[in-house]
Amino acid sequence: MNVYSTICPGCNFGCGLYIRENGKLEVDFRKSSPANAGKLCRFGMSLSRFYTPVKSTIDGKETSLEEAAKEAARRISAGKGSAAFLSFGNTTCEELLAFQKIAESYLCTGANFEALPKDAYQTLSVGIPYSEIEAAKHIVLFIDPYEQYPLIVRRLLSARKKGAKITSVWWKDLPIADENIRPADVSKLQLTKDSPVIADFHPLSDVEQVKNVLSLAKNAGAKITFLKPFVNSTGAYLLSKDAKQKSLAQLVEDINKGTVKTLFCLESDPAGLIPQETLGKLTNLIVQTGQAGAAKANVVIAHEPLYRKKGTLINNEGRATALGGAGTNGLETLGIVAGTKFEFDPLHESVKKMLGISAIDEFTIPKYERPSYGAVPASAKPIEAKNALVSVYNPFMWYGLADDNDFVELNLGVVRALKLLKGGNIRIKSNGSSVEKKFKVSPVQDNILLTGKRIGIEKGTLTPVEVSR
Ligand code: SF4
């Protein structure tokens, strides 16, 4: 029986836990973990669903890891410059550094950095310590903590107990908030330099909304923490912020027009973010991973699962943690793909140098420069449609795992206006597609339907829809 002291791969909160290999995978609480004091959300509690074993394959036929990696190298080289490289940050900093060396010609981390002011990258990449949130007197939420990042609720409750006021700028009243402001009424928000802002930043973030949050915080002199969805998003962003990279939208466009024919994904399932139709246009989809995913890849390079890896992860706060395993299988495989050898130690030294520390210690957050950024011209898109579907991205959604929240939320006024029946469905139409969904009555804004689960018709965070019984 092997026990690993590791980090939950579900989001960038950085929750510590134990994984026990005991015929099946078992999860145990790690109370000493500074990010979460042992607590886990439902994703963390059901990690065995995430860590589904995977085998190396070439065109569907099982093969060895080495053969799959060599075949990937052959196909990338045969593509003569038409390969793109994607990793959202679901792996160690050391692997990401090696990956960047391979991906120089076309790197995509999923974040749309291109569309955001360069001098705000550091603010977007690394947030403030959770302890600062707990100590604040006024906290402003641009997220739904219950649905998206449940472990932040503990910190918010603790701040409230000490007298903090919580304001939410959201489409639904949040029980934890003393004041609920709708996104369209954000001008009513009273922000001061002592009001930390909690928002989120992910590959499908609405860039104008992100700019709006940056602008509001800048004008008030307030600190922001952008919570992020992948286990090492902060590490990925810090390591790649000076690298030339393409946005996810650009990658999708390049695959569609045929300039990218081979896509190599490191520990990132493209099925969650790239339309199936686009993926189908690739000559080669190559996935290097430690667990099964939804995308149908031509080459699967299956190495150890994340919890068995050796390496460093960085969470939302900038806290660096050793992952807890001893495996360097992923790095060696990247070496085969690149036709070189990647050694762990020098890469690890580079990570520590970037963080300005001599040892990885999860109990001490490295000191980060937090340079101020210039004025951010922002114009949040108004909701033009009468009704809009708001997709609330959460860890379950990114990994396509089954979620018991299979309903949309809407308010009682909408239920009455549409004469919806208790226990019945609502019909939602957009762009020629139509779905029927169960609904739940919640204190949601009048023209809004909220979903925490993909329903197949959404186009980004906000989708104009028509609704009927
Ligand atoms: S909050 Fe994030 S890191 Fe923590 S248990 Fe849930 S999914 Fe995992």
Side-chain angles (χ1 to χ4, degrees):
M1 185 170 74
N2 294 319
V3 179
Y4 298 84
S5 173
T6 186
I7 300 292
C8 169
C11 75
N12 200 207
F13 207 84
C15 296
L17 49 84
Y18 294 109
I19 285 188
R20 195 182 312 123
E21 290 177 332
N22 193 13
K24 55 185 172 56
L25 286 191
E26 291 171 347
V27 171
D28 261 345
F29 305 105
R30 178 152 69 88
K31 291 209 170 104
S32 62
S33 171
N36 61 318
K39 305 275 190 301
L40 296 171
C41 78
R42 57 200 165 126
F43 185 99
M45 293 296 295
S46 53
L47 273 187
S48 48
R49 288 197 298 174
F50 172 75
Y51 282 123
T52 311
V54 60
K55 292 197 164 94
S56 295
T57 54
I58 299 173
D59 295 327
K61 287 205 187 89
E62 200 176 320
T63 187
S64 67
L65 172 116
E66 203 179 333
E67 272 315 309
K70 282 182 182 163
E71 182 63 17
R74 270 194 288 273
R75 292 189 187 199
I76 290 168
S77 139
K80 296 190 174 51
S82 66
F85 298 83
L86 171 72
S87 185
F88 305 135
N90 267 332
T91 192
T92 64
C93 290
E94 289 77 5
E95 272 190 20
L96 288 169
L97 272 181
F99 184 67
Q100 269 186 36
K101 291 184 205 271
I102 305 176
E104 261 171 14
S105 56
Y106 198 124
L107 170 71
C108 177
T109 60
N112 194 356
F113 274 124
E114 269 180 346
L116 292 155
K118 181 112 187 149
D119 59 358
Y121 281 17
Q122 183 80 355
T123 304
L124 287 159
S125 300
V126 60
I128 59 175
Y130 302 143
S131 55
E132 275 194 37
I133 293 167
E134 265 184 276
K137 291 280 164 262
H138 179 212
I139 301 163
V140 178
L141 302 175
F142 282 83
I143 56 161
D144 177 342
Y146 302 98
E147 281 292 324
Q148 296 181 282
Y149 302 96
L151 264 293
I152 199 77
V153 173
R154 234 185 99 239
R155 308 289 182 156
L156 297 173
L157 287 171
S158 161
R160 254 182 83 143
K161 225 170 159 180
K162 293 182 208 150
K165 174 183 169 185
I166 298 180
T167 300
S168 101
V169 183
W170 196 244
W171 291 275
K172 158 173 116 169
D173 291 350
L174 300 178
I176 204 160
D178 305 282
E179 179 187 34
N180 288 284
I181 297 175
R182 300 297 176 221
D185 298 328
V186 72
S187 56
K188 293 182 185 161
L189 179 65
Q190 306 267 317
L191 206 57
T192 72
K193 68 175 186 30
D194 298 318
S195 315
V197 171
I198 306 178
D200 72 339
F201 182 53
H202 55 72
L204 298 182
S205 284
D206 181 327
V207 168
E208 291 308 318
Q209 296 291 357
V210 172
K211 283 193 201 164
N212 216 27
V213 171
L214 284 166
S215 172
L216 284 165
K218 156 113 194 133
N219 294 342
K223 290 182 180 169
I224 320 179
T225 201
F226 284 99
L227 302 181
K228 299 174 228 62
F230 304 111
V231 65
N232 195 22
S233 299
T234 297
Y237 297 167
L238 286 172
L239 290 168
S240 67
K241 67 182 184 331
D242 294 323
K244 244 177 96 190
Q245 55 178 304
K246 306 278 174 79
S247 68
L248 188 66
Q250 184 67 53
L251 175 62
V252 169
E253 194 185 319
D254 290 344
I255 298 173
N256 281 335
K257 65 179 192 225
T259 48
V260 166
K261 292 197 173 76
T262 296
L263 178 64
F264 183 103
C265 302
L266 174 63
E267 289 281 33
S268 301
D269 186 351
L273 283 165
I274 300 180
Q276 195 48 50
E277 198 193 329
T278 301
L279 289 176
K281 290 181 182 158
L282 289 165
T283 311
N284 285 299
L285 174 60
I286 302 167
V287 174
Q288 177 173 329
T289 184
Q291 60 282 320
K296 298 228 172 324
N298 304 87
V299 180
V300 178
I301 309 169
H303 54 48
E304 69 250 307
L306 189 76
Y307 66 86
R308 284 201 209 147
K309 282 183 188 176
K310 181 175 176 181
T312 313
L313 300 178
I314 305 174
N315 80 347
N316 291 314
E317 307 168 279
R319 189 185 297 278
T321 308
L323 186 46
T328 52
N329 224 237
L331 265 187
E332 284 146 25
T333 310
L334 285 171
I336 298 174
V337 174
T340 185
K341 201 166 186 297
F342 290 121
E343 303 276 1
F344 179 83
D345 289 344
L347 291 166
H348 186 58
E349 285 310 310
S350 301
V351 172
K352 288 191 290 185
K353 199 168 160 204
M354 186 260 302
L355 293 169
I357 54 177
S358 56
I360 303 295
D361 167 16
E362 67 172 335
F363 295 98
T364 313
I365 298 178
K367 300 246 172 304
Y368 291 91
E369 275 182 36
R370 298 187 188 277
S372 61
Y373 49 91
V376 185
S379 59
K381 275 186 236 145
I383 301 169
E384 286 154 11
K386 186 165 181 297
N387 295 296
L389 177 75
V390 174
S391 298
V392 182
Y393 295 101
N394 60 41
F396 287 92
M397 185 175 265
W398 294 114
Y399 297 109
L401 296 178
D403 186 352
D404 44 6
N405 281 347
D406 194 7
F407 50 73
V408 293
E409 292 180 75
L410 36 94
N411 75 21
L412 193 57
V414 177
V415 172
R416 285 187 178 142
L418 296 177
K419 299 195 170 71
L420 299 179
L421 301 173
K422 199 176 171 195
N425 289 339
I426 178 168
R427 183 179 291 277
I428 311 164
K429 277 197 213 163
S430 171
N431 300 314
S433 308
S434 166
V435 286
E436 283 196 22
K437 295 306 293 176
K438 294 255 174 260
F439 63 89
K440 180 182 166 194
V441 177
S442 302
V444 176
Q445 182 180 322
D446 237 356
N447 52 349
I448 293 293
L449 278 72
L450 284 182
T451 177
K453 186 179 164 97
R454 257 171 240 216
I455 64 172
I457 59 166
E458 49 278 271
K459 300 261 176 281
T461 309
L462 252 153
T463 311
V465 291
E466 286 169 37
V467 287
S468 60
R469 196 165 128 177

